[in-house]
Amino acid sequence: MAEPEFMATGVRIGRRLRSLTRAGQVRIADGRLELLTSYGTEIDSAPVQAVRTGKPWFATEDRALAEVNGRRYSLTLGEREPGPGQGGPPTVRRFIEAVGRAAERRRRG
């Protein structure tokens, strides 16, 4: 398996009002977006070309929306970009950009 193009851990993943995991993982690798539990069990996955992402209008800066296989998921990532040499969760902006870049690469190649 290739190195993931994007990886975030400690992500809260929910559907509607239900929390699916409070410490999940979001991974983009081999042209697929995967939503995983903290144990690595797959919640959902799809090719990046079929995934829609965005930010909710009236939500905090750390929230993103992802539509995977027709299901809407709410993702809570990091609020601010970690400083140089510091660890921490990626921001929503980096997640949305990573999905767009991966989808563009799949279209070209």
Side-chain angles (χ1 to χ4, degrees):
M1 179 181 257
E3 184 72 23
E5 300 166 37
F6 178 87
M7 179 72 167
T9 58
V11 178
R12 180 183 293 259
I13 301 172
R15 283 200 57 212
R16 300 184 189 228
L17 297 176
R18 182 173 168 225
S19 178
L20 300 175
T21 182
R22 294 187 321 178
Q25 302 171 38
V26 176
R27 182 171 52 198
I28 299 173
D30 298 327
R32 290 187 71 78
L33 171 77
E34 299 174 322
L35 303 176
L36 308 167
T37 66
S38 57
Y39 299 108
T41 305
E42 184 176 292
I43 296 170
D44 209 343
S45 72
V48 289
Q49 303 96 312
V51 174
R52 291 182 21 197
T53 59
K55 286 189 53 56
W57 283 21
F58 300 106
T60 59
E61 291 295 313
D62 62 347
R63 302 268 313 267
L65 296 174
E67 188 173 313
V68 182
N69 294 322
R71 293 182 206 88
R72 288 184 145 201
Y73 294 94
S74 172
L75 310 175
T76 305
L77 293 106
E79 289 185 25
R80 60 184 92 76
E81 198 71 36
Q86 293 180 334
T91 62
V92 169
R93 180 181 53 82
R94 283 186 46 212
F95 165 67
I96 292 171
E97 289 171 355
V99 171
R101 281 192 310 270
E104 185 61 32
R105 264 196 298 281
R106 286 306 229 191
R107 276 188 224 116
R108 281 192 256 135

